[in-house]
């Protein structure tokens, strides 16, 4: 039986709903908010536009709202679905302890597409969400028409930024994560985004930061649990390094990365160049003056590249 939410949990949920409503009213006023079920809970999907379907899958610790700056632009040519991954955004809580993350990724994405009555879709995914989506595309290539990786995913080499690895440490990671996330503010979100996600934090608007802070306060337990499952002190856990599978991926794939993405170390850039040389299905596009969330720093350039690629 699912425990009944306490008053603090309900209040945090209301805060996130209010922040989400303000953000979407500004960026995507025609969006339709849906609730869909999968085998281990319920999640939220933002839907807008008409045309070929494209599923947006956010990164670890984020929410579907991170796509808000480009939802309307993508919806000019596609039917866009932006999903909250389990334990993120306004999805129901999800305990990642002991979960097989790759099996989880396959199950979740397949069941979300089923719930949306969509047999095949293009996928645009960021960071850890791109690892989830890659695993799904590798297992069920007939369900993914094209694959856009927007921001470096784990799963190629082990390296990961130190602040992310710290939160994954047993005991200490929980204390560090709770201290930084449980009472997250707009200023906290701006600093985190400045350190790891964007090249131009001064351009971030308050609506986006307020939604991110509200999401972090509501979901910090699940975010810490996910990081502890996916990472350790040395970086990405070895069983999630899938270089052989990347070399064999058959789905047409574009890796679009900000040139200033802190997740793209020199070693990781070389690894991706090698993958692209070995697999003709993979191409790489660099966005100047942009970070891990290239579409936040350079929305017009990033959307143009995505739309041209999805158009084939």
């Amino acid at each position: 039986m699912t425990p009944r939410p306490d008053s603090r949990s309900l209040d945090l949920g209301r805060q996130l709903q209010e922040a989400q409503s303000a953000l979407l009213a500004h960026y995507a006023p025609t969006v339709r908010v849906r609730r869909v079920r999968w085998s281990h809970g319920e999640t939220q999907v933002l839907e807008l536009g008409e045309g070929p379907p494209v599923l947006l899958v956010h990164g670890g610790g984020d929410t579907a709202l991170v796509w808000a700056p480009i939802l309307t632009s993508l919806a000019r040519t596609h039917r866009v679905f932006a999903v909250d991954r389990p334990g993120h955004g306004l999805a129901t809580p999800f305990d990642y302890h002991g979960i097989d993350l790759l099996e989880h990724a396959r199950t979740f994405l397949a069941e979300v597409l089923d719930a949306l009555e969509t047999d095949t879709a293009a996928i645009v995914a960021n960071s850890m969400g791109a690892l989830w989506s890659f695993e799904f595309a590798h297992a069920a290539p007939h369900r993914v028409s094209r694959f856009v990786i927007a921001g470096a995913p784990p799963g190629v080499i082990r390296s990961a930024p130190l602040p992310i690895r710290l939160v994954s440490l047993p005991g200490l990671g929980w204390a560090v994560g709770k201290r930084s996330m449980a009472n997250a503010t707009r200023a906290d979100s701006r600093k985190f985004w400045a350190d790891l996600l964007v090249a131009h934090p001064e351009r971030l608007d308050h609506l986006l930061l307020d939604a991110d802070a509200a999401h972090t306060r509501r979901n910090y337990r699940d975010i810490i649990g996910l990081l502890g499952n996916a990472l350790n002190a040395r970086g990405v856990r070895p069983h999630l390094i899938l270089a052989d599978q990347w070399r064999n991926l058959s789905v047409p794939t574009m890796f679009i990365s900000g040139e200033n993405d802190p997740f793209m170390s020199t070693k990781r850039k070389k690894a991706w160049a090698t993958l692209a040389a070995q697999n003709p299905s993979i191409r790489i596009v660099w966005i100047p003056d942009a970070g891990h969330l290239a579409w936040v720093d350079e929305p017009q350039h990033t959307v143009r590249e995505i739309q041209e690629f999805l158009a084939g």
Side-chain angles (χ1 to χ4, degrees):
M1 179 179 296
T2 302
R4 181 173 296 177
D6 58 27
S7 59
R8 174 171 167 77
S9 297
L10 292 172
D11 185 51
L12 291 173
R14 283 192 293 268
Q15 291 175 25
L16 178 52
Q17 288 177 327
E18 291 170 0
Q20 171 176 287
S21 295
L23 179 68
L24 294 176
H26 177 70
Y27 281 109
T30 62
V31 73
R32 301 176 291 279
V33 180
R34 299 177 57 172
R35 302 292 298 181
V36 301
R37 291 203 62 81
W38 68 294
S39 56
H40 295 282
E42 189 175 84
T43 192
Q44 174 182 261
V45 176
L46 309 177
E47 178 185 355
L48 69 166
E50 301 294 338
V54 57
L55 179 67
L56 308 184
V57 185
H58 64 80
D62 282 325
T63 159
L65 297 176
V66 77
W67 304 106
I70 61 171
L71 288 177
T72 297
S73 295
L74 290 177
R76 294 191 183 108
T77 53
H78 287 79
R79 185 182 181 192
V80 177
F81 301 106
V83 62
D84 282 331
R85 288 188 11 249
H88 294 66
L90 285 167
T92 52
F94 188 80
D95 183 1
Y96 282 96
H97 179 73
I99 294 294
D100 181 329
L101 294 181
L102 298 180
E103 180 182 354
H104 162 75
R106 295 189 298 268
T107 300
F108 175 69
L109 293 177
E111 292 186 9
V112 165
L113 288 181
D114 290 344
L116 297 173
E117 299 181 335
T118 301
D119 291 331
T120 303
I123 294 182
V124 178
N126 169 251
S127 198
M128 197 174 291
L131 176 61
W132 267 223
S133 302
F134 161 75
E135 175 64 18
F136 178 62
H138 186 262
H142 59 287
R143 302 202 68 178
V144 183
S145 58
R146 290 196 163 233
F147 182 24
V148 176
I149 302 164
V156 178
I157 63 173
R158 291 201 65 188
S159 67
L162 179 60
I164 305 297
R165 285 185 282 128
L166 284 177
V167 177
S168 75
L169 299 178
L172 176 63
W174 172 258
V176 170
K178 183 178 180 181
R179 185 171 65 248
S180 62
M181 297 182 195
N183 297 296
T185 64
R186 179 191 296 171
D188 293 330
S189 285
R190 187 184 296 277
K191 183 180 186 308
F192 181 79
W193 285 45
D195 290 343
L196 290 178
L197 301 183
V198 297
H200 290 282
E202 72 279 1
R203 298 177 187 170
L204 295 170
D205 67 49
H206 292 171
L207 293 173
L208 194 59
L209 293 170
D210 288 346
D212 179 68
H215 149 69
T216 303
R217 293 193 298 269
R218 179 182 187 263
N219 298 301
Y220 74 90
R221 293 179 180 85
D222 294 339
I223 295 170
I224 295 170
L226 171 62
L227 293 176
N229 191 324
L231 305 169
N232 60 26
R234 296 184 61 189
V236 179
R237 292 186 182 272
H239 71 281
L240 298 177
I241 305 301
L242 308 174
D244 290 340
Q245 291 94 318
W246 281 102
R247 281 190 285 269
N248 296 323
L249 181 65
S250 60
V251 175
T253 298
M254 178 175 70
F255 175 36
I256 184 166
S257 175
E259 288 187 345
N260 299 328
D261 184 349
F263 288 80
M264 284 300 288
S265 62
T266 300
K267 185 176 180 181
R268 182 168 282 177
K269 287 181 179 180
K270 290 180 179 178
W272 272 100
T274 299
L275 281 178
Q278 294 171 337
N279 186 341
S281 295
I282 298 174
R283 58 174 293 208
I284 299 175
V285 174
W286 297 101
I287 303 294
D289 201 28
H292 192 54
L293 308 182
W295 69 91
V296 175
D297 283 315
E298 296 290 343
Q300 292 183 343
H301 188 170
T302 306
V303 167
R304 183 172 67 250
E305 295 285 357
I306 292 173
Q307 288 176 327
E308 289 178 358
F309 179 75
L310 295 182

